[in-house]
Amino acid sequence: MLTKKQHELLMFIHHYLEDRGVCPSFDEMKEALDLKSKSGIHRLITGLTERGFIRRLPHRARALEVLKLPDAVLPEGLKNRNTKPSTGSPKENVVQAEFGNRSGDNSSADNGIVNLPLYGRIAAGLAIEAVTDPDSFVDVPQSMLDGGKHYCLEVAGDSMINAGIHDGDTVVIRDCNTAENGAIVVALIDNEEVTLKRLHRKGNTVALEAENPEYETRIFGPDRVKVQGKLVGLFRQY
């Protein structure tokens, strides 16, 4: 049984998809349900997922699958048969769409998939500012994670290419403020720049080392660099 807000959101998404062929944004969902926070939309989507009304497609950011609707809105002949059919046209079987702006924690579903925020692009070359407000999420296998909070970033640049990290890859980061020498980390420099590099500490210096001979190792004082996470995995699209 759905709550009133879950029912409202499901029907809003369903009708929006039927009318426009794309999923509403989180801002549109929030406005339609008269909610103050996007995190409320995330909780409603999680609840609909757990109850089998919608599904997030693994390894695809911003993809939803509508599996069924409440019996109360179906024609009489379709009640008690309200599940995803195995035959028919793609439009009859499933409605998929891209959507953005979800916020929440690393909650996992029964299928072992964890929903991680995608915080935007991070430089694996020259340092750029990382986005801190997620505009999309990525479904990641629970087995890839090692406890604690995690998030994802999209790589921009080629300075870590010899470590197998390419431009356009999505890296999975464990949120932490320290890491062992030699680890690949998300480093905040002078509270302004964020970059993905290999960390080396020696005496009173911190070195951020690229994995590409075309880039120089950057040396900083210990107070200029803060670790914001450690690399634990990546995804690549072909």
Side-chain angles (χ1 to χ4, degrees), residues 76-224:
E76 189 66 31
L78 293 180
K79 292 182 180 180
N80 301 322
R81 294 194 292 119
N82 184 19
T83 57
K84 181 183 175 182
S86 57
T87 60
S89 70
K91 186 174 180 180
E92 293 169 338
N93 284 346
V94 61
V95 180
Q96 288 186 35
E98 298 276 326
F99 72 103
N101 275 338
R102 288 183 288 173
S103 61
D105 57 15
N106 299 170
S107 57
S108 61
D110 293 339
N111 59 2
I113 298 297
V114 178
N115 190 229
L116 299 182
L118 179 63
Y119 283 138
R121 292 172 68 82
I122 185 172
L126 300 177
I128 59 174
E129 183 178 0
V131 177
T132 56
D133 182 23
D135 59 4
S136 59
F137 284 65
V138 178
D139 290 330
V140 175
Q142 177 77 53
S143 59
M144 180 179 287
L145 310 180
D146 55 359
K149 293 186 64 177
H150 295 75
Y151 58 90
C152 294
L153 293 164
E154 182 182 347
V155 175
D158 62 356
S159 75
M160 298 300 288
I161 195 168
N162 288 346
I165 303 171
H166 296 198
D167 181 63
D169 285 351
T170 298
V171 290
V172 182
I173 305 295
R174 178 165 59 84
D175 190 1
C176 59
N177 56 19
T178 186
E180 68 275 14
N181 272 347
I184 296 175
V185 302
V186 176
L188 175 65
I189 304 168
D190 295 332
N191 291 318
E192 295 180 353
E193 298 176 323
V194 181
T195 191
L196 185 72
K197 292 291 182 289
R198 195 174 295 280
L199 175 73
H200 289 285
R201 292 189 180 92
K202 185 175 181 180
N204 290 325
T205 62
V206 176
L208 298 178
E209 181 180 290
E211 289 284 351
N212 183 333
E214 295 184 5
Y215 293 82
E216 294 182 355
T217 297
R218 302 175 68 186
I219 308 296
F220 300 93
D223 296 332
R224 295 183 60 192

